mmCIF file of all heavy atoms in Angstrom:
data_model
loop_
_atom_site.group_PDB
_atom_site.id
_atom_site.type_symbol
_atom_site.label_atom_id
_atom_site.label_comp_id
_atom_site.label_asym_id
_atom_site.label_seq_id
_atom_site.Cartn_x
_atom_site.Cartn_y
_atom_site.Cartn_z
ATOM 1 N N PRO E 9 64.036 -41.009 18.421
ATOM 2 C CA PRO E 9 65.057 -39.972 18.377
ATOM 3 C C PRO E 9 66.426 -40.606 18.180
ATOM 4 O O PRO E 9 66.692 -41.702 18.675
ATOM 5 C CB PRO E 9 64.943 -39.301 19.763
ATOM 6 C CG PRO E 9 63.565 -39.627 20.218
ATOM 7 C CD PRO E 9 63.242 -40.958 19.633
ATOM 8 N N ALA E 15 68.684 -46.654 25.245
ATOM 9 C CA ALA E 15 68.855 -46.312 26.651
ATOM 10 C C ALA E 15 67.577 -45.717 27.222
ATOM 11 O O ALA E 15 67.340 -45.801 28.424
ATOM 12 C CB ALA E 15 70.004 -45.317 26.810
ATOM 13 N N GLU E 29 46.859 -49.333 23.554
ATOM 14 C CA GLU E 29 46.158 -48.088 23.231
ATOM 15 C C GLU E 29 46.013 -47.935 21.717
ATOM 16 O O GLU E 29 44.955 -47.526 21.221
ATOM 17 C CB GLU E 29 46.930 -46.894 23.798
ATOM 18 C CG GLU E 29 46.902 -46.783 25.307
ATOM 19 C CD GLU E 29 47.760 -45.629 25.802
ATOM 20 O OE1 GLU E 29 48.415 -44.970 24.953
ATOM 21 O OE2 GLU E 29 47.794 -45.395 27.009
ATOM 22 N N GLU E 40 45.994 -56.306 11.089
ATOM 23 C CA GLU E 40 47.267 -55.652 10.760
ATOM 24 C C GLU E 40 48.408 -56.391 11.446
ATOM 25 O O GLU E 40 48.323 -56.755 12.619
ATOM 26 C CB GLU E 40 47.251 -54.191 11.205
ATOM 27 C CG GLU E 40 48.487 -53.430 10.782
ATOM 28 C CD GLU E 40 48.301 -51.932 10.874
ATOM 29 O OE1 GLU E 40 47.164 -51.488 11.095
ATOM 30 O OE2 GLU E 40 49.293 -51.221 10.709
ATOM 31 N N GLY E 52 63.283 -49.168 20.441
ATOM 32 C CA GLY E 52 64.703 -49.330 20.742
ATOM 33 C C GLY E 52 65.015 -50.623 21.455
ATOM 34 O O GLY E 52 65.998 -50.716 22.190
ATOM 35 N N ALA E 63 54.413 -61.665 22.691
ATOM 36 C CA ALA E 63 53.870 -62.781 23.469
ATOM 37 C C ALA E 63 52.860 -62.285 24.502
ATOM 38 O O ALA E 63 51.823 -62.922 24.735
ATOM 39 C CB ALA E 63 55.007 -63.538 24.158
ATOM 40 N N LYS E 75 50.557 -69.186 12.021
ATOM 41 C CA LYS E 75 51.690 -69.872 11.415
ATOM 42 C C LYS E 75 52.015 -69.268 10.061
ATOM 43 O O LYS E 75 51.123 -69.016 9.247
ATOM 44 C CB LYS E 75 51.371 -71.367 11.270
ATOM 45 C CG LYS E 75 52.559 -72.202 10.821
ATOM 46 C CD LYS E 75 52.202 -73.676 10.800
ATOM 47 C CE LYS E 75 53.412 -74.515 10.378
ATOM 48 N NZ LYS E 75 53.085 -75.966 10.348
ATOM 49 N N CYS E 79 52.305 -62.253 14.068
ATOM 50 C CA CYS E 79 51.264 -61.681 14.914
ATOM 51 C C CYS E 79 50.428 -60.674 14.136
ATOM 52 O O CYS E 79 50.961 -59.825 13.414
ATOM 53 C CB CYS E 79 51.894 -60.982 16.125
ATOM 54 S SG CYS E 79 52.415 -62.111 17.421
ATOM 55 N N GLU E 80 49.113 -60.778 14.311
ATOM 56 C CA GLU E 80 48.177 -59.827 13.723
ATOM 57 C C GLU E 80 47.242 -59.320 14.810
ATOM 58 O O GLU E 80 46.897 -60.058 15.734
ATOM 59 C CB GLU E 80 47.315 -60.496 12.649
ATOM 60 C CG GLU E 80 48.050 -60.938 11.414
ATOM 61 C CD GLU E 80 47.097 -61.555 10.404
ATOM 62 O OE1 GLU E 80 45.997 -61.992 10.813
ATOM 63 O OE2 GLU E 80 47.441 -61.590 9.223
ATOM 64 N N ARG E 87 29.873 -63.686 15.145
ATOM 65 C CA ARG E 87 29.496 -64.603 16.215
ATOM 66 C C ARG E 87 30.383 -64.418 17.443
ATOM 67 O O ARG E 87 29.894 -64.423 18.581
ATOM 68 C CB ARG E 87 29.590 -66.052 15.717
ATOM 69 C CG ARG E 87 29.250 -67.065 16.804
ATOM 70 C CD ARG E 87 29.094 -68.450 16.248
ATOM 71 N NE ARG E 87 28.758 -69.400 17.303
ATOM 72 C CZ ARG E 87 28.288 -70.616 17.074
ATOM 73 N NH1 ARG E 87 28.080 -71.030 15.838
ATOM 74 N NH2 ARG E 87 28.012 -71.422 18.076
ATOM 75 N N GLU E 88 31.691 -64.245 17.227
ATOM 76 C CA GLU E 88 32.592 -64.017 18.358
ATOM 77 C C GLU E 88 32.242 -62.740 19.093
ATOM 78 O O GLU E 88 32.269 -62.695 20.331
ATOM 79 C CB GLU E 88 34.037 -63.968 17.861
ATOM 80 C CG GLU E 88 34.588 -65.305 17.430
ATOM 81 C CD GLU E 88 35.935 -65.190 16.752
ATOM 82 O OE1 GLU E 88 36.215 -64.141 16.121
ATOM 83 O OE2 GLU E 88 36.714 -66.154 16.848
ATOM 84 N N LEU E 92 31.089 -62.720 23.033
ATOM 85 C CA LEU E 92 31.849 -61.960 24.027
ATOM 86 C C LEU E 92 30.959 -60.956 24.748
ATOM 87 O O LEU E 92 31.029 -60.810 25.975
ATOM 88 C CB LEU E 92 33.014 -61.237 23.358
ATOM 89 C CG LEU E 92 34.301 -62.032 23.173
ATOM 90 C CD1 LEU E 92 35.265 -61.287 22.257
ATOM 91 C CD2 LEU E 92 34.966 -62.299 24.525
ATOM 92 N N ILE E 106 24.737 -57.439 42.788
ATOM 93 C CA ILE E 106 25.229 -57.698 44.144
ATOM 94 C C ILE E 106 25.964 -56.529 44.787
ATOM 95 O O ILE E 106 26.249 -56.570 45.989
ATOM 96 C CB ILE E 106 26.137 -58.951 44.174
ATOM 97 C CG1 ILE E 106 27.412 -58.729 43.371
ATOM 98 C CG2 ILE E 106 25.382 -60.181 43.695
ATOM 99 C CD1 ILE E 106 28.398 -59.888 43.457
ATOM 100 N N LEU E 111 24.675 -46.823 46.890
ATOM 101 C CA LEU E 111 26.099 -46.913 47.191
ATOM 102 C C LEU E 111 26.433 -45.965 48.336
ATOM 103 O O LEU E 111 25.917 -44.845 48.388
ATOM 104 C CB LEU E 111 26.886 -46.527 45.937
ATOM 105 C CG LEU E 111 28.325 -47.021 45.796
ATOM 106 C CD1 LEU E 111 28.388 -48.542 45.794
ATOM 107 C CD2 LEU E 111 28.937 -46.465 44.506
ATOM 108 N N PRO E 135 41.228 -39.039 23.103
ATOM 109 C CA PRO E 135 40.771 -40.437 23.163
ATOM 110 C C PRO E 135 41.577 -41.314 24.118
ATOM 111 O O PRO E 135 41.019 -42.204 24.756
ATOM 112 C CB PRO E 135 40.907 -40.921 21.717
ATOM 113 C CG PRO E 135 40.861 -39.685 20.894
ATOM 114 C CD PRO E 135 41.532 -38.626 21.726
ATOM 115 N N ARG E 136 42.890 -41.087 24.215
ATOM 116 C CA ARG E 136 43.690 -41.913 25.124
ATOM 117 C C ARG E 136 43.267 -41.686 26.574
ATOM 118 O O ARG E 136 43.122 -42.627 27.347
ATOM 119 C CB ARG E 136 45.180 -41.636 24.943
ATOM 120 C CG ARG E 136 45.736 -42.149 23.626
ATOM 121 C CD ARG E 136 47.225 -41.915 23.478
ATOM 122 N NE ARG E 136 47.661 -42.233 22.133
ATOM 123 C CZ ARG E 136 48.109 -43.425 21.741
ATOM 124 N NH1 ARG E 136 48.205 -44.402 22.623
ATOM 125 N NH2 ARG E 136 48.478 -43.641 20.488
ATOM 126 N N THR E 141 40.392 -43.177 31.609
ATOM 127 C CA THR E 141 39.446 -42.780 32.654
ATOM 128 C C THR E 141 38.191 -43.644 32.597
ATOM 129 O O THR E 141 37.579 -43.931 33.628
ATOM 130 C CB THR E 141 39.077 -41.294 32.549
ATOM 131 O OG1 THR E 141 38.635 -40.989 31.214
ATOM 132 C CG2 THR E 141 40.272 -40.412 32.892
ATOM 133 N N GLN E 143 38.219 -46.826 31.754
ATOM 134 C CA GLN E 143 38.636 -48.049 32.446
ATOM 135 C C GLN E 143 38.560 -47.880 33.957
ATOM 136 O O GLN E 143 38.066 -48.765 34.671
ATOM 137 C CB GLN E 143 40.062 -48.411 32.052
ATOM 138 C CG GLN E 143 40.205 -49.199 30.774
ATOM 139 C CD GLN E 143 41.612 -49.733 30.636
ATOM 140 O OE1 GLN E 143 42.596 -49.006 30.783
ATOM 141 N NE2 GLN E 143 41.725 -51.017 30.371
ATOM 142 N N GLU E 154 32.579 -56.447 45.591
ATOM 143 C CA GLU E 154 33.316 -57.179 46.625
ATOM 144 C C GLU E 154 33.420 -58.678 46.337
ATOM 145 O O GLU E 154 33.497 -59.493 47.245
ATOM 146 C CB GLU E 154 32.704 -56.939 48.010
ATOM 147 C CG GLU E 154 32.743 -55.463 48.429
ATOM 148 C CD GLU E 154 32.174 -55.229 49.808
ATOM 149 O OE1 GLU E 154 31.595 -56.174 50.390
ATOM 150 O OE2 GLU E 154 32.300 -54.101 50.317
ATOM 151 N N ASP E 179 34.950 -41.880 18.044
ATOM 152 C CA ASP E 179 33.792 -41.099 17.605
ATOM 153 C C ASP E 179 33.318 -40.215 18.754
ATOM 154 O O ASP E 179 32.949 -40.711 19.820
ATOM 155 C CB ASP E 179 32.677 -42.046 17.153
ATOM 156 C CG ASP E 179 31.504 -41.306 16.534
ATOM 157 O OD1 ASP E 179 30.876 -40.508 17.255
ATOM 158 O OD2 ASP E 179 31.213 -41.548 15.360
ATOM 159 N N ARG E 183 31.577 -41.060 22.518
ATOM 160 C CA ARG E 183 32.231 -40.694 23.786
ATOM 161 C C ARG E 183 31.285 -39.881 24.663
ATOM 162 O O ARG E 183 31.217 -40.082 25.881
ATOM 163 C CB ARG E 183 33.520 -39.910 23.509
ATOM 164 C CG ARG E 183 34.588 -40.708 22.783
ATOM 165 C CD ARG E 183 35.959 -40.056 22.903
ATOM 166 N NE ARG E 183 36.033 -38.738 22.330
ATOM 167 C CZ ARG E 183 36.461 -38.465 21.107
ATOM 168 N NH1 ARG E 183 36.814 -39.449 20.287
ATOM 169 N NH2 ARG E 183 36.534 -37.224 20.668
ATOM 170 N N ILE E 194 25.629 -43.340 38.068
ATOM 171 C CA ILE E 194 25.864 -42.726 39.373
ATOM 172 C C ILE E 194 24.534 -42.317 40.007
ATOM 173 O O ILE E 194 24.305 -42.540 41.213
ATOM 174 C CB ILE E 194 26.822 -41.518 39.238
ATOM 175 C CG1 ILE E 194 28.234 -42.014 38.881
ATOM 176 C CG2 ILE E 194 26.853 -40.699 40.528
ATOM 177 C CD1 ILE E 194 29.202 -40.893 38.520
ATOM 178 N N LEU E 197 22.798 -45.373 41.322
ATOM 179 C CA LEU E 197 23.451 -45.851 42.546
ATOM 180 C C LEU E 197 23.085 -44.970 43.744
ATOM 181 O O LEU E 197 22.912 -45.465 44.853
ATOM 182 C CB LEU E 197 24.973 -45.868 42.350
ATOM 183 C CG LEU E 197 25.512 -46.998 41.476
ATOM 184 C CD1 LEU E 197 26.930 -46.679 41.012
ATOM 185 C CD2 LEU E 197 25.492 -48.324 42.245
ATOM 186 N N ARG E 198 22.981 -43.680 43.503
ATOM 187 C CA ARG E 198 22.630 -42.754 44.584
ATOM 188 C C ARG E 198 21.187 -42.979 45.042
ATOM 189 O O ARG E 198 20.883 -42.913 46.239
ATOM 190 C CB ARG E 198 22.829 -41.309 44.117
ATOM 191 C CG ARG E 198 22.522 -40.274 45.206
ATOM 192 C CD ARG E 198 22.741 -38.864 44.702
ATOM 193 N NE ARG E 198 24.159 -38.587 44.442
ATOM 194 C CZ ARG E 198 24.692 -38.428 43.246
ATOM 195 N NH1 ARG E 198 23.928 -38.493 42.156
ATOM 196 N NH2 ARG E 198 25.980 -38.183 43.117
ATOM 197 N N ARG E 217 29.949 -52.655 20.414
ATOM 198 C CA ARG E 217 29.651 -53.895 19.691
ATOM 199 C C ARG E 217 29.064 -53.590 18.315
ATOM 200 O O ARG E 217 29.535 -54.104 17.292
ATOM 201 C CB ARG E 217 28.658 -54.729 20.504
ATOM 202 C CG ARG E 217 28.194 -56.021 19.838
ATOM 203 C CD ARG E 217 26.928 -56.516 20.501
ATOM 204 N NE ARG E 217 25.809 -55.590 20.285
ATOM 205 C CZ ARG E 217 24.709 -55.566 21.025
ATOM 206 N NH1 ARG E 217 24.557 -56.400 22.029
ATOM 207 N NH2 ARG E 217 23.738 -54.689 20.755
ATOM 208 N N ASN E 224 32.966 -53.574 10.102
ATOM 209 C CA ASN E 224 33.596 -54.784 9.569
ATOM 210 C C ASN E 224 32.624 -55.716 8.860
ATOM 211 O O ASN E 224 32.972 -56.842 8.525
ATOM 212 C CB ASN E 224 34.291 -55.536 10.705
ATOM 213 C CG ASN E 224 35.491 -54.777 11.230
ATOM 214 O OD1 ASN E 224 36.551 -54.797 10.626
ATOM 215 N ND2 ASN E 224 35.313 -54.080 12.347
ATOM 216 N N TYR E 228 32.678 -60.232 6.237
ATOM 217 C CA TYR E 228 32.046 -61.520 6.475
ATOM 218 C C TYR E 228 30.805 -61.669 5.604
ATOM 219 O O TYR E 228 30.102 -60.701 5.325
ATOM 220 C CB TYR E 228 31.643 -61.654 7.950
ATOM 221 C CG TYR E 228 32.798 -61.405 8.876
ATOM 222 C CD1 TYR E 228 32.922 -60.188 9.545
ATOM 223 C CD2 TYR E 228 33.782 -62.373 9.063
ATOM 224 C CE1 TYR E 228 34.003 -59.949 10.383
ATOM 225 C CE2 TYR E 228 34.854 -62.134 9.897
ATOM 226 C CZ TYR E 228 34.962 -60.917 10.552
ATOM 227 O OH TYR E 228 36.026 -60.686 11.367
#
Side-chain angles (χ1 to χ4, degrees):
E29 290 176 357
E40 185 164 351
K75 188 176 181 180
C79 282
E80 293 181 339
R87 178 169 180 165
E88 288 171 331
L92 275 169
I106 65 175
L111 203 61
R136 290 182 189 268
T141 52
Q143 276 191 310
E154 299 182 351
D179 187 297
R183 296 197 299 264
I194 291 171
L197 285 163
R198 182 180 292 110
R217 177 198 65 199
N224 292 281
Y228 306 102

